[in-house]
Amino acid sequence: MTQKLVVIGAGMASGRVLEHLFEANADYYVTLFNAEARGNYNRIMLSPVLSGEKTYDDIVTHNAEWYTTQGVTCHFGTPITSIDRAAKTVTSTEGTVPYDKLLIATGSAPFIIPVPGKDLDGVVTYRDLDDTNAMIDAAKSGGKAVVIGGGLLGLEAAAGLAERGMDVTVLHLMGHLMERQLDEAAGFLLRRDLEKRGITVKCQASTTAILGTTRVEAVLLDDGETLDADLVVMAVGIRPETRLATDAGLSVARGVEVNAQMETSDPDIIAIGECVEFDGQLFGLVAPLYDQAKVVAKTLMGVPDVFTPKELSTKLKVTGCDLFSAGDFAEAEGREDIVFRDPARGVYRRLVLEDNIVVGAVMYGDTADSNWFFGLIRDKTDISDMRETLIYGPAFQGGAPSDPLSAVAALPRDVEICGCNGICKGQIEDAVHAGATDLGAVRAVTKASGSCGTCTGLVEQVLAVTLGDEFIAPAAASICGCTDMTHEDVRRMIKSRELKSMPAVWQECGWKTSCGCHICRPALNFYLLADWPMEYTDDPQSRFINERKHANIQKDGTFSVVPRMWGGITTPDELRAIADAADKFAVPTVKVTGGQRIDLLGVKGEDLPAIWEDLNNAGMVSGHAYSKGLRTVKTCVGTDHCRFGTQDSTGLGIKLEKTLWGSWTPHKLKLGVSGCPRNCAEATCKDIGIVCVDSGYQISIGGAAGMDVRETEPLCQVKTEAEVIDVVKAVTQLYRENAKYLDRIYKWVAKVGLDWVKESVADLDKRTALKARFEHSQTVYRKDPWAQHVAKSETYRPLADLTLEAAE
Amino acid sequence: MSAQSDNWIDIAALDAVPQRGARLIKTAHGCVAVFRTGIDEVYALDNACPHKNGPLADGIVHGKAVTCPLHNWVISLETGAAQGADTGQVATYPAKVVDGRIQIDASLLTHRGVA
Ligand code: SRM
Ligand SMILES: Cc1cc2nc3c(=O)[nH]c(=O)nc-3n(C[C@H](O)[C@H](O)[C@H](O)COP(=O)(O)OP(=O)(O)OC[C@H]3O[C@@H](n4cnc5c(N)ncnc54)[C@H](O)[C@@H]3O)c2cc1C
Ligand code: SF4
Ligand code: FES
């Protein structure tokens, strides 16, 4: 005979139980009660609804039609008020209903901190659609929101409200955000990213009261500070919703106690979800609830099964804040850390090891490999063999790294891809073979990536690998066709694995060509000499002809010659020497450049060493008009002559040029020094610009006047010339060490953020260290290449002259 | 197929050309570029890109190809043909290394390209 199953709570856990039951055609007549005035929706997607990325309709999991088809009698907006175990009935406002089996799935209730004002209008929690809609409404009139609680929910609420235009402050009791999931370093990066979106974060902030007469007006902190507020969101934690169970006399600790079959102390009453406690443990994420749902369905059908809690991982659903944490990362005796930081990219990774087993992982900024690390934690893999490179992730294990797809291809079938739904790679493969050939289809069939969605990329990769050529995956931009690695990956490898030669890079990074190409070789050559100035020898054959021959090639194959004129200053003797050289080598064009010096255009390649020698003899050196390195330091006349000059701009320009010349940089580097804000040297459209003022020197960076025209942004102001020179060296070195080849300073700053650059040069220790590394490198590179090449003039001449050889 | 000849002329030591580099030979017909690859093969091609006569000897050598310094056409050292979407052909000449010396087919002095 069909049994009567009554379900209290139409949440994520019970919804999954019903799906399993109906899939198995279990013989139950189901009556479903929900306190919320609606059926089952994907609660974890409330944050995208709040931020406006999704609508409620997008996140409904079971609609009215579904319930009808399955024959479920629904009572929505109808809370159960009591359970009578003896009579086996439940009672709601609408009456009493009998059950054979009862499923309690009441979830949890937000914890309300017991402060005065907690019941004022405008104070909301964050649990269900009504809360979400209340926040959306409040945000319509803009104003200020205070979110109490810097955990997962609080931050998702904060990000959503900020997205909707509110001025948001997050108050967090602890020292850093999400302290249960993140360590301090990751917490810092998260905070920085949130602050970038205009969210104010206050840690160690304890709320004393919520102020207001009828509705909320402000929040009072225990240090006396008051924060104006039009909306207060309390997101400080949750409590299992156990009131019904307690009243019914079931065994309840913090949650409703269940055994491994999910039965409560009354075997006809089963409980699931956030309201339960199993083996002393509570549950607050969907992944374990879905595991419980499988067990509940089996128990209801009389099939033996056992619930075993698994390792859990957390991600935050705030676009642009990529974080991942799993396992236990507290410091303890016998534990070791492996840490990787890439401040330029805002990337942080930390693994916690105990007896060669990863017990915890925290990642920020780049979480692409998180599933692999999660697998290591869950499977307690012995990592001794890959310890050295473990932190770089799966692509770096076992020989040459290859593209991310082959890393996915190499994953075993039982590796979990979708954590929320517990979907393994094999299930996705099977679905693809059964005809699910796009993400939507895979999601429909397996549920993979259908809950929180953070594994979408990974699911796509499995699809790509399984489908092969039929799938065109959006590829991350690699350097060139020789490799699948990005500039950033390669730079990281060069530094971390101490790769000091080009063949080492090709080998270790799995180059697909024998010796690179004209795109990657110049980049690698730069990275190697910037990172290992002492160990690496510059490779002229990996340089574009201009840098190889220290002259600019012309359209007819001749070259131009531009000697330095330090700071734009020259002398009659220099001008005479240039004129003589122009005559002697029959230079067709002599032009004043836009960089305050003279260009001799149309010199034959084989004459270069000779003309250089003449210029050298007159005291001139290469102007590097061809280099990805220091070009010119443009100056104005400054205090020497100008009635407005505040400082010696010409003198400072010359000093800077003499300091920086010869250095190689990711792209060309141009400076300008103006003697006053009239800015006749156009300093504010240079890569680095200095404007002299009465009180000192304003240093700004990131200008350009080529394909993009940009004004510099202020870096700092200093008092002395010596400080200017130090800051310029430091910022140049920071740029050399971190930028992608062929990114001018403005492009690099746009990627790493001006704040980080500012911080790095403002910190005197860092500034000194950067400056020292710059100087170190300059001991090798501050040399006149013309003089060096005059000595090798042989190589500029033809290998053989056969013109006089008699033709047969 | 290259024309065969036993009239090889000694040009220079292999080491006079850098690995992944090139040097020029002046001939009555114009400059010929002698390339040396990363694995010490040598090739001889007219020093004029089929695009706009760019000096191929000044390009970057990779594998068995050179990238023209003016507009980045990639030219095969073996066949002289432009690679990829570009079309065009440079004359090539037989060249070889014997006992560490570069030798070129003397027909280079009389004919234009033979390959
Ligand atoms: C000679 C000169 C033009 C002139 O007659 O005045 C010049 C000539 C060339 N510039 Fe320039 N630029 C010259 C000043 C500039 C300036 C003005 C300045 O420096 O004050 C700019 C704009 C400022 C800037 O850089 O932001 C400028 C922006 C460019 C760009 C665009 C760069 C960008 O990032 O947008 C290129 C292309 C590139 O570098 O990729 C370029 C590239 C070139 C090249 C090297 C093109 C090439 O690859 O062959 C030209 C070489 C000509 C030759 O054979 O000598 N040139 N070029 C100037 C040499 C200055 C010097 O003394 O060193
Ligand atoms: C904004 C937000 C974001 C989240 N993000 C994530 C995430 O990214 N990843 C993750 O894993 N988890 C996330 N969670 C947690 C996840 O949503 C919960 O773990 C999950 O919903 C719990 O499922 P449940 O079925 O136990 O409870 P619920 O889904 O809360 O369902 C319980 C239902 O029972 C009803 N109910 C309660 N009492 C009664 C009664 N007496 N009578 C009738 N009905 C009653 C309630 O109204 C409710 O609808 C998030 C939660 C929220 C609120
Ligand atoms: S603007 Fe610069 S790159 Fe363009 S033609 Fe003039 S010199 Fe050449
Ligand atoms: S001349 Fe060689 S690519 Fe244009």
Side-chain angles (χ1 to χ4, degrees):
Chain A
M1 210 195 83
T2 305
Q3 295 204 79
K4 291 185 281 297
L5 172 66
V6 171
V7 181
I8 312 177
M12 300 197 68
S14 67
R16 193 49 72 90
V17 173
L18 294 183
E19 288 173 15
H20 290 312
L21 284 179
F22 296 136
E23 271 162 31
N25 292 317
D27 196 13
Y28 273 108
Y29 175 76
V30 179
T31 308
L32 176 61
F33 289 89
N34 200 21
E36 279 183 72
R38 56 191 71 83
N40 194 358
Y41 59 90
N42 191 347
R43 189 174 307 282
I44 68 182
M45 295 311 262
L46 284 174
S47 295
V49 171
L50 177 61
S51 66
E53 287 163 56
K54 287 205 164 19
T55 64
Y56 172 66
D57 287 339
D58 294 333
I59 69 167
V60 170
T61 37
H62 299 159
N63 55 21
E65 191 193 334
W66 188 86
Y67 289 117
T68 315
T69 317
Q70 308 298 346
V72 178
T73 305
C74 299
H75 300 275
F76 295 152
T78 316
I80 294 294
T81 48
S82 66
I83 303 169
D84 185 339
R85 287 166 54 199
K88 290 183 98 175
T89 57
V90 294
T91 302
S92 72
T93 43
E94 290 177 0
T96 298
V97 174
Y99 67 80
D100 297 313
K101 292 279 181 189
L102 179 64
L103 178 60
I104 302 183
T106 46
S108 51
F111 182 67
I112 313 274
I113 42 172
V115 290
K118 67 181 167 46
D119 299 319
L120 284 171
D121 252 8
V123 180
V124 300
T125 55
Y126 190 17
R127 181 71 198 169
D128 58 25
L129 183 69
D130 299 324
D131 298 332
T132 310
N133 284 336
M135 285 191 262
I136 293 173
D137 279 347
K140 280 187 186 136
S141 39
K144 294 181 193 299
V146 172
V147 176
I148 306 178
L152 201 89
L153 286 189
L155 296 182
E156 291 188 4
L161 291 169
E163 195 69 31
R164 289 196 180 260
M166 289 195 90
D167 179 356
V168 183
T169 303
V170 174
L171 302 179
H172 192 53
L173 193 56
M174 309 306 283
H176 67 267
L177 295 174
M178 291 184 68
E179 78 287 347
R180 286 194 310 175
Q181 292 90 8
L182 300 182
D183 60 10
E184 273 185 282
F188 160 77
L189 288 170
L190 172 60
R191 175 180 183 144
R192 209 184 53 182
D193 276 354
L194 292 169
E195 285 172 346
K196 272 191 208 148
R197 300 151 181 261
I199 297 173
T200 309
V201 177
K202 285 183 187 293
C203 288
Q204 272 154 339
S206 169
T207 308
T208 309
I210 298 172
L211 311 176
T213 40
T214 55
R215 55 170 296 121
V216 53
E217 287 163 21
V219 174
L220 175 67
L221 301 182
D222 71 349
D223 63 3
E225 187 178 359
T226 47
L227 301 165
D228 290 344
D230 304 295
L231 174 74
V232 172
V233 182
M234 272 208 208
V236 290
I238 49 172
R239 290 241 162 119
E241 179 53 80
T242 57
R243 284 173 296 183
L244 281 176
T246 310
D247 292 349
L250 295 172
S251 171
V252 175
R254 283 180 301 159
V256 183
E257 288 187 292
V258 293
N259 61 19
Q261 284 69 47
M262 306 306 294
E263 292 161 335
T264 64
S265 52
D266 176 340
D268 287 328
I269 305 184
I270 295 165
I272 186 171
E274 285 189 342
C275 61
V276 307
E277 177 171 338
F278 171 77
D279 207 9
Q281 218 180 315
L282 300 177
F283 305 89
L285 294 169
V286 295
L289 310 192
Y290 289 168
D291 286 342
Q292 293 174 356
K294 288 180 201 152
V295 177
V296 169
K298 294 255 177 78
T299 301
L300 284 170
M301 294 184 286
V303 181
D305 200 359
V306 177
F307 169 67
T308 18
K310 289 195 205 132
E311 203 66 57
L312 293 177
S313 65
T314 317
K315 292 184 178 179
L316 182 71
K317 299 187 301 301
V318 173
T319 317
C321 296
D322 250 354
L323 65 80
F324 170 85
S325 106
D328 180 359
F329 50 86
E331 279 170 42
E333 191 95 14
R335 284 191 176 176
E336 304 159 87
D337 272 345
I338 305 181
V339 173
F340 171 82
R341 294 172 202 262
D342 183 349
R345 291 195 306 144
V347 168
Y348 170 77
R349 281 183 172 188
R350 173 161 161 245
L351 299 177
V352 182
L353 305 185
E354 200 170 272
D355 301 329
N356 284 321
I357 285 172
V358 186
V359 296
V362 183
M363 291 179 200
Y364 196 90
D366 175 2
T367 54
D369 297 330
S370 56
N371 279 44
W372 183 75
F373 286 109
F374 185 49
L376 295 181
I377 296 176
R378 209 191 33 209
D379 303 341
K380 304 195 167 44
T381 312
D382 184 327
I383 51 84
S384 357
D385 289 344
M386 48 181 167
R387 224 199 122 105
E388 302 298 316
T389 54
L390 183 66
I391 194 86
Y392 303 108
F396 297 91
Q397 310 310 324
S402 40
D403 61 349
L405 281 186
S406 59
V408 171
L411 294 174
R413 272 175 64 82
D414 63 355
V415 151
E416 191 170 81
I417 301 289
C418 172
C420 290
N421 289 295
I423 304 300
C424 300
K425 183 186 167 198
Q427 288 164 273
I428 297 173
E429 287 174 339
D430 294 345
V432 175
H433 292 312
T437 52
D438 61 35
L439 183 67
V442 168
R443 195 177 274 167
V445 179
T446 64
K447 296 198 173 69
S449 82
S451 293
C452 78
T454 44
C455 63
T456 307
L458 208 54
V459 175
E460 271 177 342
Q461 288 178 352
V462 176
L463 247 168
V465 166
T466 318
L467 280 176
D469 290 344
E470 292 163 48
F471 186 88
I472 299 118
S478 64
I479 297 181
C480 61
C482 301
T483 174
D484 291 316
M485 291 174 91
T486 62
H487 283 271
E488 289 74 14
D489 287 342
V490 171
R491 278 214 95 162
R492 197 164 61 187
M493 287 287 281
I494 289 174
K495 288 187 171 77
S496 63
R497 288 226 202 150
E498 307 204 351
L499 307 179
K500 297 181 182 174
S501 71
M502 220 162 309
V505 176
W506 296 332
Q507 180 60 34
E508 296 295 307
C509 301
W511 242 242
K512 295 186 275 189
T513 49
S514 67
C515 59
C517 71
H518 65 276
I519 299 168
C520 59
R521 283 222 322 262
L524 293 186
N525 188 56
F526 168 72
Y527 294 151
L528 287 164
L529 71 81
D531 286 339
W532 311 110
M534 298 297 138
E535 294 93 335
Y536 178 72
T537 323
D538 182 45
D539 175 25
Q541 300 315 130
S542 293
R543 287 189 175 276
F544 180 60
I545 184 63
N546 288 4
E547 294 184 344
R548 195 180 328 142
K549 285 206 169 155
H550 295 276
N552 293 59
I553 195 163
Q554 310 290 298
K555 62 188 231 180
D556 62 357
T558 61
F559 290 87
S560 69
V561 171
V562 186
R564 274 202 190 278
M565 282 183 180
W566 308 101
I569 293 291
T570 184
T571 62
D573 282 342
E574 282 185 356
L575 291 172
R576 234 172 251 123
I578 291 173
D580 288 345
D583 276 343
K584 180 168 163 190
F585 296 95
V587 172
T589 307
V590 180
K591 183 179 183 302
V592 175
T593 72
Q596 299 188 332
R597 47 199 191 166
I598 292 175
D599 194 350
L600 302 169
L601 296 125
V603 180
K604 286 196 236 28
E606 50 186 298
D607 286 342
L608 287 171
I611 192 169
W612 292 340
E613 191 169 15
D614 285 4
L615 295 169
N616 274 166
N617 288 339
M620 282 176 273
V621 297
S622 166
H624 293 89
Y626 45 80
S627 75
K628 308 285 178 254
L630 180 79
R631 295 286 179 91
T632 55
V633 180
K634 194 166 167 174
T635 68
C636 72
V637 287
T639 42
D640 277 354
H641 302 279
C642 176
R643 64 203 166 105
F644 294 119
T646 61
Q647 312 278 356
D648 178 13
S649 52
T650 325
L652 176 56
I654 292 171
K655 283 182 197 152
L656 284 169
E657 191 163 350
K658 293 209 161 170
T659 303
L660 299 180
W661 77 290
S663 61
W664 298 104
T665 43
H667 204 315
K668 55 195 177 191
L669 185 67
K670 297 177 179 180
L671 276 71
V673 187
S674 288
C676 83
R678 288 171 191 75
N679 194 14
C680 298
E682 298 167 330
T684 52
C685 65
K686 302 295 180 222
D687 297 281
I688 305 177
I690 290 113
V691 175
C692 303
V693 289
D694 270 329
S695 55
Y697 305 83
Q698 295 170 340
I699 307 176
S700 59
I701 61 170
M707 288 172 278
D708 286 314
V709 180
R710 313 233 163 183
E711 189 181 347
T712 51
E713 294 183 87
L715 179 69
C716 60
Q717 173 156 353
V718 297
K719 289 213 166 58
T720 64
E721 278 194 350
E723 286 172 280
V724 175
I725 294 171
D726 283 359
V727 168
V728 169
K729 282 184 197 166
V731 77
T732 303
Q733 182 65 12
L734 196 66
Y735 170 51
R736 287 156 52 105
E737 288 178 2
N738 292 289
K740 167 173 167 285
Y741 186 63
L742 298 186
D743 269 358
R744 291 285 285 266
I745 285 193
Y746 73 91
K747 288 197 180 157
W748 166 65
V749 167
K751 288 179 186 168
V752 301
L754 184 62
D755 285 344
W756 178 70
V757 178
K758 276 186 181 167
E759 280 160 29
S760 305
V761 296
D763 180 326
L764 283 185
D765 290 341
K766 278 194 197 155
R767 186 194 294 180
T768 310
L770 284 165
K771 176 188 144 191
R773 292 203 290 278
F774 182 78
E775 276 305 331
H776 190 54
S777 168
Q778 283 293 71
T779 60
V780 180
Y781 290 105
R782 193 161 36 208
K783 306 226 165 85
D784 178 25
W786 286 356
Q788 294 173 318
H789 282 237
V790 167
K792 303 191 276 186
S793 62
E794 168 59 31
T795 59
Y796 284 76
R797 285 198 284 272
L799 199 53
D801 187 345
L802 305 182
T803 44
L804 300 176
E805 211 103 344
E808 277 164 48
Chain B
M1 279 278 283
S2 302
Q4 291 304 309
S5 155
D6 28 21
N7 192 5
W8 294 91
I9 303 181
D10 180 89
I11 297 294
L14 177 65
D15 287 344
V17 183
Q19 274 194 335
R20 288 183 214 103
R23 293 279 298 275
L24 291 178
I25 304 176
K26 281 195 173 175
T27 77
H29 316 296
C31 284
V32 169
V34 179
F35 293 90
R36 175 179 174 192
T37 67
I39 51 172
D40 290 345
E41 304 144 324
V42 293
Y43 294 96
L45 285 78
D46 271 346
N47 188 37
C49 176
H51 180 216
K52 292 191 174 175
N53 291 325
L56 295 178
D58 288 332
I60 289 181
V61 178
H62 47 97
K64 293 185 206 297
V66 59
T67 298
C68 176
L70 292 194
H71 317 99
N72 289 337
W73 280 29
V74 178
I75 310 296
S76 160
L77 296 178
E78 291 177 299
T79 65
Q83 306 290 289
D86 301 317
T87 51
Q89 177 84 32
V90 201
T92 63
Y93 306 93
K96 63 181 180 182
V97 182
V98 178
D99 296 334
R101 305 280 310 173
I102 297 172
Q103 298 189 352
I104 304 273
D105 190 326
S107 56
L108 161 61
L109 301 174
T110 47
H111 313 267
R112 296 290 305 171
V114 290

